[in-house]
Amino acid sequence: MKIKLTLIFLMSNLLSFSQINFENKITLIDDTHNTYDINAIAIADLDNDNWKDLIITSYDDKIIWYKNVNGDFRHFQRNIISINQIDIPKYITAADLNNDGLQDLIVVNDSSVDNIFWFQNLGNGDFSSEILISDSINGASSIETIDIDNDGDIDILTGGATQAVILIENNNGDSFQAPQIILWEFFY
């Protein structure tokens, strides 16, 4: 009797935890909209319409914004933020660096010198040309933004080739301090 109850219990659990079916896949961006070899993406509401937009970078030196209209990226023209201004933009994130209520873009490139750039969101779908934040980080990797010193502006954190965590402190949205190593790890 115990064996029958155990088998019934196991069968009922197997049937109740069966595989979940998902809807058919939907391609948000196809080859007609795509750029060459996407290497980074970010999600942010760039136009303050309460819909998260898609931003991509590519190995052919482009930064492109796809506007999200009611959950749909497919039927709207892409906005080119940058073409050939930055050599291989490899990391991207969004944050309001100058406290104007608009999400700006912060980009790290992958060339002989790793630079960190800021594209200021000017509103109405317009962005500034690249603004150099730092050109002195060896092997910049990934990028994060946070108000690390609680002074009301967004600071930048990145990694470096020397296993360091580097802080670039924001000076009220109009300039940045020189990069400072805040954590340095030696591996033996």
Side-chain angles (χ1 to χ4, degrees), residues 29 33-35 53-54 56 64-68 73 78:
I29 299 172
H33 290 242
N34 200 355
T35 186
D53 303 309
L54 176 66
I56 65 169
I64 300 173
W65 163 28
Y66 291 93
K67 182 174 175 51
N68 181 345
F73 297 103
R78 63 187 182 180

Side-chain angles (χ1 to χ4, degrees), residues 45-48 94-106 118-128 131 152-154 170 172-174:
D45 183 4
L46 295 182
D47 54 0
N48 286 342
D96 184 3
L97 292 182
N98 58 346
N99 290 323
D100 65 355
L102 299 170
Q103 294 291 301
D104 305 309
L105 297 175
I106 304 95
W118 168 24
F119 287 87
Q120 183 179 350
N121 188 338
L122 304 172
N124 300 317
D126 296 323
F127 284 82
S128 69
I131 301 166
D153 56 30
I154 300 296
N170 187 342
N172 299 315
D174 56 4

Side-chain angles (χ1 to χ4, degrees), residues 29-91:
I29 299 172
D30 62 22
D31 290 338
T32 62
H33 290 242
N34 200 355
T35 186
Y36 174 78
D37 284 340
I38 295 170
N39 59 352
I41 64 170
I43 303 291
D45 183 4
L46 295 182
D47 54 0
N48 286 342
D49 64 354
N50 294 319
W51 289 93
K52 300 292 184 185
D53 303 309
L54 176 66
I55 308 99
I56 65 169
T57 67
S58 66
Y59 284 103
D60 62 347
D61 304 337
K62 292 181 185 152
I63 301 171
I64 300 173
W65 163 28
Y66 291 93
K67 182 174 175 51
N68 181 345
V69 177
N70 299 324
D72 189 356
F73 297 103
R74 295 175 292 170
H75 304 291
F76 301 94
Q77 185 174 0
R78 63 187 182 180
N79 291 332
I80 306 292
I81 294 172
S82 171
I83 294 180
N84 298 324
Q85 290 177 297
I86 296 179
D87 186 25
I88 311 174
K90 69 177 176 177
Y91 300 108

